[in-house]
């Protein structure tokens, strides 16, 4: 089991506080494992496992507890003779109707420390925020980074070279369970397709009561095919018209929004670096896991430039950066990244194969006069840094502890 210390460092200060700890993220990204890691952490500081009470609401044995009242009654019944602090763990809590009411009730009734996971961003923006106000703290959990993937891959195939591991990561992505399949491509592909259908059918269709599933599938396919490219809802409407299907821009935006709530996609807005304002049109979208894209859509190696962008973008989110696409005149910088008062610029490309490519990728920074770090990231093995702009091989870049 990978320790996922990056997340534990963030969670640790909130252990044994009265804030509800909420872990969200796409299905199968490792949220359940985070609950187990927290239990291990608690045991290491002297908490007895008999004080833990855990429920996984994807387990049919807990289906009778999927209402707030039933869950409340069960927990109160099972803890009535407890004299010590209780540690409550609820996995995929969104399966429980009005779950936020019983979570809030536990806070008031019991001496407890609460940890919950869920696969929908509405957990926070809607139900949880309404009932709990500021009494929770959220941690978004992502699929494995390249560093985590590499650690697990080497535990299975210890003699693998760095380029071979990265090649595997490009195709399979970072879903944690892949190690149980020994990273075999066909079983991995089937597993990833099943995750995709589970996310779309359960977290998007069922939750949002979508009737036109075919239209949703077409819109999702369009976004997947155009990962890392700017497009607008009107461009999707136009595409659907060519497919003899009629859809409104509002429906397109709603469907994409449902997918971002389910953590399938992440939206990145564009920023005018001269005027400092956020631009309202033509956002970009990236996928939570590029392995899902390869499994359901294919073409990761054909669209390698966009996949490398996707990988870098998700690594930025893991490390806590807020990210926009930078527009400077007619040029566009892939990622303008901020964390606290620090800034970072990143340009991602496949290979610096010609002088024209080198000029294009390094030249986007010509009008940026500040002294924040500027990177060009590619698959090249030779360092081509110039004019204070750092060039990094993408494997090396992803494994660096600090970029600033």
């Amino acid at each position: 089991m990978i320790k996922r210390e990056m997340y534990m460092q963030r969670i640790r200060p909130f252990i044994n506080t009265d804030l509800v700890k909420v872990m969200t993220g796409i299905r199968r990204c490792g949220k359940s494992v985070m609950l187990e890691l927290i239990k291990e952490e608690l045991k290491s500081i002297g908490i007895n496992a008999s004080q833990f009470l855990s429920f996984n609401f994807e387990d049919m044995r807990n289906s009778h507890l999927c209402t707030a009242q039933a869950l409340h009654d069960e927990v109160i019944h099972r803890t009535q003779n407890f004299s010590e602090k209780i540690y409550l763990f609820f996995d995929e809590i969104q399966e429980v109707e009005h779950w936020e009411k019983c979570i809030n009730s536990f806070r008031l009734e019991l001496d407890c420390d609460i940890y919950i996971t869920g696969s929908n961003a509405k957990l926070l923006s809607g139900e949880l925020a309404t009932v709990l106000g500021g009494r929770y703290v959220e941690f978004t959990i992502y699929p494995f980074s390249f560093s985590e993937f590499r650690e697990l891959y080497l535990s299975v195939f210890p003699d693998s070279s760095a380029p071979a591991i990265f090649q595997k990561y490009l195709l399979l992505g970072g879903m944690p369970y892949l190690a149980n399949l020994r990273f075999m491509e066909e079983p991995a592909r089937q597993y990833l397709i099943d995750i995709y259908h589970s996310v779309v059918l359960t977290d998007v269709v069922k939750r949002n009561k979508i009737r036109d599933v075919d239209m949703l599938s077409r819109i999702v396919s369009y976004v997947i095919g155009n990962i890392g490219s700017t497009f607008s809802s009107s461009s999707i409407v136009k595409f659907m018209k060519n497919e003899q299907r009629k859809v409104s821009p509002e429906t397109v935006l709603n469907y994409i929004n449902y997918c971002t709530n389910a953590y399938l996609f992440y939206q990145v807005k564009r920023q005018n670096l001269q005027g400092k304002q956020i631009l309202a049109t033509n956002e970009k979208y990236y996928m939570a896991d590029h392995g899902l894209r390869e499994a359901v859509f294919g073409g990761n190696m054909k669209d390698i430039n966009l996949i490398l962008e996707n990988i870098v973008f998700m690594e930025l989110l893991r490390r806590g950066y807020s990210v926009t696409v930078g527009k400077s005149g007619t040029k566009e910088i892939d990622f303008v990244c901020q964390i606290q008062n620090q800034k970072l610029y990143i340009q991602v490309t496949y290979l610096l194969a010609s002088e024209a490519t080198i000029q294009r990728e390094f030249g986007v920074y010509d009008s940026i006069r500040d002294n924040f770090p500027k990177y060009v990231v590619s698959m090249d093995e030779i360092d081509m840094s110039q004019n204070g702009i750092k060039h990094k091989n993408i494997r090396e870049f992803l494994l660096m502890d600090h970029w600033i």
Side-chain angles (χ1 to χ4, degrees), residues 12 139 147 150 219 228 330:
R12 208 169 272 127
F139 307 94
S147 175
R150 176 172 163 266
I219 291 170
T330 58

Side-chain angles (χ1 to χ4, degrees), residues 117-145:
T117 78
S119 301
N120 199 291
K122 284 283 185 183
L123 270 175
L124 294 169
S125 60
E127 297 98 323
L128 190 61
T130 302
V131 175
L132 284 182
R135 301 183 193 93
Y136 66 87
V137 58
E138 178 199 10
F139 307 94
T140 305
I141 310 300
Y142 302 99
F144 278 167
S145 65

